Every structure is written in C-alpha cells, then in structure tokens.
Amino acid sequence: MALSHIRLRQVAGQVATIAITLFGLLLLTFVIGRMMPADPVRAIVGEDASRETYEMVFNQLGLDRPIWEQFLRYLGDVLTGNFGTSIRTGQPVIEDILHVMPATIELATFAILIGAGLGIPLGVTAAVNKDRWPDHLVRVFSLFGHSMPIFWTGMIALLVFYAGLGWVGGSGRMSQFYIGLIDERTGFLLIDSLLAGDRDVFWSAVNHLILPASLLGYSSSAYITRMTRSFMLDQLGQEYMTTARVKGLSRGQTIWRHAFGNIRVQLVTIIALAYGGLLEGAVLIETVFAWPGFGQYLTNNLIIGDMNAVMTCVLIVGCIFILLNLISDLLYRLFDPRTK
Amino acid sequence: MTSTARPHSRLPAPLLALRNIIAFLWRTPTSAFGLIVLSVLILTALFAPWIASHDPYLQDLNNVLQPPGNGHLFGTDELGRDIFSRLVWGARITLRIVFLVTVVVGPIGLLVGTTAGYIGGRFDTVMMRITDIFLSFPSLILSLAFVAALGPSLNNAIIAIGLTAWPPIARLARAETLTFRKADYIAAARLQGASALRIIVKSIMPMCLPSVMIRLTLNMATIILTAAGLGFLGLGAQPPLPEWGAMIATGRRYMIDSWWLVTFPGLAILSVSLAFNLLGDGLRDALDPKQMNRR
C-alpha cells in the first residue's frame, strides 16, 4: 500500500515535470517566433497590399492584442492541434510535416541500426582490450566520427562513391526516373515500393539511402561506442566477473553473457537518445543529399522566414526529445530491478 | 614527488599546474597532436598577413577554379581567390568563434550554476527547469531557430551558439557548488558578514573555474562543428568572409569538377574539431587523479 502510494507520487511528479518542460518549450518557441524579423502580415498579404488589408490581417492574427494574450492564444491553438498555415505551401503546417517525416524516420532508423551495429561491438572490444592497441584504434576511429563536419563528409562521399565509383545513387530518395511511379501509402518508400511490388524502385531507394544513412550512423556510433565502453568497463571491474571465471566459464561467456547482459538496459536508453540526436545530423545531411525530409523542410522555411513552420518544427523536435528522455527513463525503471 | 625537485621555480601555482598539464598531454601521442594543431591554428591566426600568399578577398577572374599548384597552393575558387590564403584568414574567424563563445558561455553558465547551487530551494528548482528546457534540444536545431530569429550573420551565429551551449556548463557549476557550499571557509566568509553575491563571486566561482574550462574545451569541437554547419546553411558568416563552413557551401556548386574547393576547408574544420576532441580527451585523463597515478 505504502509502496503504491510512493509510486503514485513519483508518477505525479513526473507528469508535473513534463508539463512544466512543455510549457517552457512553448514559451521558447513563442519567443523565437515573435523575434523573427520576417513580417508575418506582409508574408500573407504580399508586398503591395493596401493599408486596410494589412491592418485587417494584422488584427485577425491577433497582433494588436497584448503579448501575454497572444501567448495564451498560441497555447490554446497548439493544445487544440492548430499549428497554423505554412506561408510557403499554403497548407496546414502539421500536414506538411507529417508528409515529410517518413523520409527522415526512414533515414534515421537505418542510421541508428548502422550506428548501433558498429558502435556496440567496437565499444565492447575497446573495453575488453583497455589501454591496448584495439582500444586506441577504436578511440581514434570514433573520435574521428565525432569530429567530422557531416555536411562535408557527405559531399566527399558523394564525390567518391557516386561521381567517382558509381557504387551508389546520388541525391534524393530514388532516381529521377522513378519519381511518381509509386503510390504513396505509408510515406516510407521502402515499404511503399514493396507494397506496390516494384523491385526496381525498392533497390533504387536502398541505393540512395545507404550513403547518407551510413554517414549518419558513423557519426552517431562515436557516442554509442564511448558509452558502451564505459558501461562495459564498470561491469568488467566487478567481482562477479572473477567469480564467473573461477566457476569455469570461458572469457567470451563472461564478457557476452554476464557483463554485456547487464548493460543492455543502459544501452537501450543511450540508443534512444542517439536516435534523437540524429535529427540534428539529418538537418545537414538532408541538405547535402537533397533528401526531402524534416531537416530540409526546416532549413527551407528558416531561410524564407516562414514563422509558423519554424516554430512548429522546433516544437516537434523538443517534444521528440522529451518523449525519448521519458521512454529511456521508463525503460530503465522497467528493466533495472535496482530502481524499484 | 617530482615537482618538489624544482625549488627555484618562481611560477605562480596556476601556471605551474598548466605547465604540468601540458607536459602530461605531451606524453600521449593523440593529445600531443591536438596541442600541435591548436598551436598551428593560433599561430596562423596571429600571423595571417605574413603567412597568406594572396589577399583573401582579391578576385582574379582570369584565374578562376585553378587546381592546386601554379602559385596557388590549394588552387583558386570560382572568383579566382586564393583558397590557401582564405583558409589562413579563416583561422581568425574560427578563433574568434572559440573566444567569443567562451566569453559568452563561461560567465552565463557559471552565474546560473553557482547562484542556483548556492541559493538553493525554489530558485534552484526554477533555474534547473530552465536549463533542462534548453538541454532538451539538440544544439544545432536550437541555434538554427535563434539565428532565424536574430537574422543570419557571424555574430548572431555566435550569440545563438552561446545561448544553446551554456546549460551543460550551468549544470556542472551547480554540481561543483553543491559540493563545497557547506565548506568551512564559506561559513567563515558568511560569519564575517559577506553578502551572498560576494561569496558567490569571490569564493565559489574561482573554485568552479578549472572544471568549467575543461568542459568548455570538450564542448569546443561541437561548437566549431555547429558554427561551420550554420555557415554551410548560409545562416552564419556571410560571403565574402572566408569562414570555412561558408566556403564549403559556395564551393558545393563546383564540387564535381573542382574538388579542391570543398576538400581543403573541410579538412581544416575536421582537423581543428578533432584536435579539440583529442585535447579534451587528454585533459580528462590529465585531471583525473586515478589516471594520473597509473601512467
């Protein structure tokens, strides 16, 4: 009874924290939106609208009201799911974003698979061989991934693997030739092309995906490697490892079954956070690879100063981060008996 | 016991510590590389007018897109400007970013962290909530939004990066403050009638400074990459400034036929951010007492 009471208070505390963070997030996006130099009224009515039209739209947007009232109005709009209309496309911003999101999710998911597939074994290898040459090699390799300007590496990779060697597809999600051939059902090109049974489009999509996803994956593997290494080092130094060895288990068994088994939960939380971090890389890599996703949508709107679109994008990124933090927190509590 | 073998050393304690740290870093090949690259960067920036072979802004339309060689070490760009000279002058911009971000982020982070840690209570909760909100964003996306609000320019990019880079510093400074808030010397100062402000500025901030500086070095690689990314997206330094990220952005159009336009500025960014990462890695080892004894 007492336990469930504590649990309840914990949950309530968590909900309150999230609510406050969300409120702060909204305040932040509101301030950014108001600070933007682009005149939202001019953007709607055009350069040579009459003074009356201008004032009418100005009042319609509520810009004549005091600033706190504008903020309350913004809060109300967001809470009822109204994120405004994009000036550039004339569509509701949220529809635009839902339309571009699958491209980014597809890219980020492949990237995180590559990043984890690369980072976890490297991290384990480095920890097991601490201070010997494999450790140093892994360290330099992962620091390299962490240090490269990803937009530049993207260009060099395009130069080498696309223009030079012709191994992969160039920019975009598929060859120009196939655009419009596939019905958009889920927005995920790999799934859509399989649903349509079109193998050529599927392989073209894979061909275009592989390079940007590998680069993003490599850059995120730096973080995953480093964390895996330090988690493993914690475990390898524990006494139960010696006990397991004394009991006659092989080195490989103790490393993979005992030590690695214990860090799985921590790894999942790290990978969840790295997945969110990929959004950042996606902004730059999508620009280089002309990938029609969320990152490109955000930068395009930034450059033309489309206030509603930018505010919503920033808000969504913030929400994704809060959500990922929450998920990793929950996973931790669910799977780690010590947190109970 | 080795440091006591120098009785004649008249160096003040902080400088002596610095010398020991550099000596330690020098022994590890990776951090030595970091030290060398950063020294080269600083020297290049200082002596840019003598090192650069050409005027970085001088256009020569008869000599556009020349490959490396022929009096142009790294070739020329689409306006016939010497890429090597532009890179050399760009080192000044990179250093300016590093310096200004440090000047903006260090004090903000220190102030927020130490006051929150020292005063505690409600104030602490509110300040840490604000910090968390900023921390809940990837830094590039938040900087992008700030630059969009402030208007694209190098200085605004620096301000935007500063606004996004202080939260980790604040968290660190708060954690440090909490460890010696209850120390005797703080109590002594309070009993002598020192105000909270005086205690924070005179007694707490100096104690937090070393760890804050290390953290800043570690974050500098990310800061440089963010600045270059903003420059690349056209939201940072504006042409014709020879900022490395912006040089890559303009070179992109000519990339297929003239590889040198993007290759050299990218290598410059890569080596500087790698240098900061290696140096930060080494510093962490150097200042971790357990590691120090082992080596």
Side-chain angles (χ1 to χ4, degrees):
Chain A
M1 187 61 198
L3 193 74
S4 71
H5 191 67
I6 296 170
R7 260 287 160 83
L8 208 66
R9 278 189 66 171
Q10 268 183 351
V11 171
Q14 191 127 35
V15 170
T17 312
I18 292 171
I20 295 169
T21 315
L22 265 179
F23 181 80
L25 198 65
L26 284 164
L27 192 65
L28 195 67
T29 50
F30 178 76
V31 169
I32 289 172
R34 280 304 111 104
M35 270 162 54
M36 276 177 83
D39 182 347
V41 183
R42 272 277 165 251
I44 293 171
V45 299
E47 279 308 319
D48 31 49
S50 68
R51 195 169 170 75
E52 289 77 45
T53 330
Y54 184 93
E55 299 224 315
M56 197 179 76
V57 176
F58 188 84
N59 294 344
Q60 265 176 9
L61 288 176
L63 294 172
D64 55 335
R65 314 301 303 167
I67 195 86
W68 59 268
E69 210 179 305
Q70 289 183 36
F71 178 59
L72 285 183
R73 189 172 157 155
Y74 172 65
L75 270 186
D77 278 352
V78 169
L79 289 178
T80 51
N82 175 14
F83 295 92
T85 326
S86 160
I87 296 162
R88 193 168 55 110
T89 61
Q91 298 242 22
V93 170
I94 199 74
E95 269 179 38
D96 277 354
I97 293 178
L98 285 178
H99 185 70
V100 296
M101 215 54 194
T104 300
I105 294 176
E106 207 165 58
L107 181 62
T109 307
F110 267 73
I112 201 74
L113 288 177
I114 294 170
L118 204 65
I120 295 174
L122 282 180
V124 173
T125 312
V128 171
N129 296 291
K130 184 170 183 263
D131 288 329
R132 286 197 293 270
W133 65 266
D135 186 21
H136 297 305
L137 211 64
V138 167
R139 172 160 142 166
V140 171
F141 178 78
S142 70
L143 272 182
F144 215 79
H146 190 58
S147 308
M148 63 186 193
I150 196 161
F151 54 95
W152 175 74
T153 332
M155 285 183 209
I156 299 293
L158 270 177
L159 261 183
V160 174
F161 295 107
Y162 169 66
L165 299 168
W167 288 357
V168 295
S171 45
R173 290 177 83 187
M174 55 184 149
S175 300
Q176 289 289 333
F177 183 70
Y178 297 118
I179 288 177
L181 280 183
I182 295 286
D183 291 337
E184 207 173 287
R185 293 189 221 181
T186 59
F188 297 96
L189 193 57
L190 293 180
I191 299 175
D192 283 347
S193 59
L194 282 181
L195 284 178
D198 196 327
R199 279 193 184 183
D200 290 345
V201 176
F202 178 78
W203 286 115
S204 173
V206 170
N207 228 346
H208 282 76
L209 183 64
I210 197 81
L211 198 56
S214 306
L215 289 171
L216 268 181
Y218 176 37
S219 75
S220 72
S221 77
Y223 174 62
I224 298 175
T225 307
R226 154 154 272 162
M227 298 313 282
T228 310
R229 178 180 180 273
S230 87
F231 293 154
M232 278 302 275
L233 283 180
D234 279 350
Q235 296 295 328
L236 293 176
Q238 307 257 339
E239 276 175 14
Y240 77 86
M241 288 298 292
T242 326
T243 317
R245 289 280 287 161
V246 171
K247 273 164 63 184
L249 290 179
S250 75
R251 194 169 148 74
Q253 277 175 319
T254 51
I255 289 167
W256 286 103
R257 222 180 275 165
H258 286 69
F260 188 72
N262 279 344
I263 68 164
R264 274 178 307 192
V265 179
Q266 286 165 299
L267 278 184
V268 171
T269 66
I270 286 304
I271 289 170
L273 293 179
Y275 192 77
L278 285 178
L279 280 174
E280 185 167 282
V283 169
L284 292 166
I285 211 87
E286 283 183 7
T287 307
V288 174
F289 283 86
W291 194 265
F294 177 80
Q296 209 186 37
Y297 181 77
L298 172 62
T299 39
N300 283 343
N301 286 311
L302 272 173
I303 287 159
I304 63 157
D306 191 335
M307 195 173 75
N308 285 338
V310 172
M311 282 161 80
T312 311
C313 283
V314 173
L315 191 64
I316 286 178
V317 172
C319 287
I320 292 176
F321 262 70
I322 293 175
L323 197 71
L324 285 171
N325 270 308
L326 187 71
I327 291 174
S328 64
D329 215 47
L330 282 177
L331 280 174
Y332 210 80
R333 279 181 199 203
L334 268 179
F335 289 108
D336 194 340
R338 280 171 303 180
T339 55
K340 279 196 183 127
Chain B
M1 291 306 280
T2 47
S3 56
T4 50
R6 296 193 194 95
H8 301 297
S9 170
R10 291 247 176 102
L11 284 172
L15 276 183
L16 200 68
L18 188 71
R19 198 180 62 184
N20 286 344
I21 291 170
I22 290 179
F24 177 83
L25 290 174
W26 195 247
R27 282 203 294 274
T28 335
T30 46
S31 30
F33 171 81
L35 272 181
I36 293 172
V37 170
L38 291 185
S39 314
V40 169
L41 177 76
I42 292 170
L43 291 176
T44 310
L46 279 178
F47 300 107
W50 293 279
I51 296 172
S53 50
H54 296 71
D55 177 345
Y57 299 107
L58 183 71
Q59 302 184 3
D60 178 3
L61 294 178
N62 292 322
N63 268 316
V64 296
L65 299 174
Q66 290 294 313
N70 276 331
H72 296 284
L73 190 57
F74 291 163
T76 62
D77 68 5
E78 75 283 2
L79 296 170
R81 295 172 297 194
D82 181 60
I83 291 179
F84 173 71
S85 306
R86 287 178 67 74
L87 283 183
V88 167
W89 283 90
R92 286 195 169 184
I93 298 180
T94 303
L95 268 193
R96 182 164 140 201
I97 295 169
V98 169
F99 176 74
L100 287 178
V101 168
T102 313
V103 168
V104 174
V105 167
I108 295 181
L110 260 181
L111 194 72
V112 172
T114 50
T115 46
Y118 183 72
I119 296 172
R122 279 278 157 77
F123 182 73
D124 182 31
T125 318
V126 171
M127 287 318 248
M128 284 305 109
R129 263 307 95 235
I130 296 176
T131 312
D132 283 346
I133 292 167
F134 276 86
L135 270 178
S136 67
F137 278 102
S139 60
L140 179 71
I141 292 187
L142 194 56
S143 329
L144 275 176
F146 276 125
V147 176
L150 298 166
S153 79
L154 179 60
N155 284 338
N156 287 347
I158 293 172
I159 294 172
I161 294 171
L163 282 174
T164 59
W166 64 267
I169 306 293
R171 273 227 165 270
L172 181 74
R174 174 177 173 269
E176 291 267 301
T177 308
L178 288 181
T179 58
F180 38 68
R181 186 170 67 149
K182 293 273 186 310
D184 287 342
Y185 82 100
I186 303 281
R190 204 181 301 130
L191 286 174
Q192 282 177 345
S195 65
L197 183 73
R198 192 182 163 84
I199 292 176
I200 290 170
V201 173
K202 287 263 175 180
S203 309
I204 293 182
M205 278 190 182
M207 299 295 285
C208 298
L209 214 53
S211 52
V212 164
M213 292 309 286
I214 296 163
R215 189 58 199 254
L216 271 173
T217 316
L218 275 169
N219 290 2
M220 211 40 89
T222 319
I223 287 166
I224 286 187
L225 289 182
T226 309
L230 287 175
F232 170 70
L233 292 172
L235 293 165
Q238 299 296 307
L241 271 185
E243 196 269 329
W244 298 341
M247 283 172 75
I248 294 179
T250 43
R252 191 176 159 204
R253 261 170 286 162
Y254 311 93
M255 179 178 80
I256 300 284
D257 300 312
S258 317
W259 55 270
W260 54 93
L261 255 65
V262 295
T263 307
F264 295 114
L267 284 176
I269 300 172
L270 175 65
S271 34
V272 172
S273 86
L274 190 64
F276 271 113
N277 268 329
L278 291 171
L279 201 64
D281 224 43
L283 266 182
R284 202 166 15 198
D285 287 351
L287 295 151
D288 181 0
K290 281 180 283 179
Q291 302 254 336
M292 196 80 161
N293 291 339
R294 192 175 45 72
R295 286 192 192 223

